[in-house]
Amino acid sequence: MNKGELVDAIADKASVTKKQADAVLSAALETIVEAVSSEQKVTLVGFGSFESRQRKAREGRNPKTGDKMKIPATKVPAFSAGKLFKEKVAK
C-alpha cells in the first residue's frame, strides 16, 4: 500500500474527503518526524513507538573491493511495534 492508497482507505473509514485525509496524514507524519528528529519518543498505544537511536561507529567492508573502512557513529530512526499490532500480524 502506498500513500495514495492509504489516503483513500482513511477517507473511506473516516467519512472525509481525500483532501482532508491527505492533510491529516501528512500533518501526522510530519509531526512524528519532527519529534523523533528532536530526540523525543512518540508512542501510539496499541500501534507502536517511534524513537531516535544512536548507532555506534564500526568497521565495515567495501563490497566492491573488500577493503576495510570505518563507518561513523550516527543517529537512526527506529520503530517498535506495539503488543496489539504484533498480535494482529501474528494471526
Side-chain angles (χ1 to χ4, degrees), residues 36-37 39-41 49-56 73-81:
V36 171
S37 65
E39 297 191 27
Q40 293 177 319
K41 184 174 183 177
S49 299
F50 299 90
E51 64 184 330
S52 174
R53 291 190 185 149
Q54 184 69 33
R55 188 175 284 169
K56 294 179 182 179
T74 187
K75 289 182 188 175
V76 294
F79 174 74
S80 299

Side-chain angles (χ1 to χ4, degrees), residues 9-54:
I10 291 170
D12 288 342
K13 284 194 178 205
S15 300
V16 296
T17 66
K18 290 179 184 180
K19 188 173 184 178
Q20 291 170 325
D22 184 43
V24 170
L25 178 61
S26 295
L29 294 175
E30 188 175 309
T31 303
I32 291 169
V33 169
E34 287 173 0
V36 171
S37 65
S38 64
E39 297 191 27
Q40 293 177 319
K41 184 174 183 177
V42 177
T43 302
L44 304 171
V45 177
F47 182 72
S49 299
F50 299 90
E51 64 184 330
S52 174
R53 291 190 185 149
Q54 184 69 33

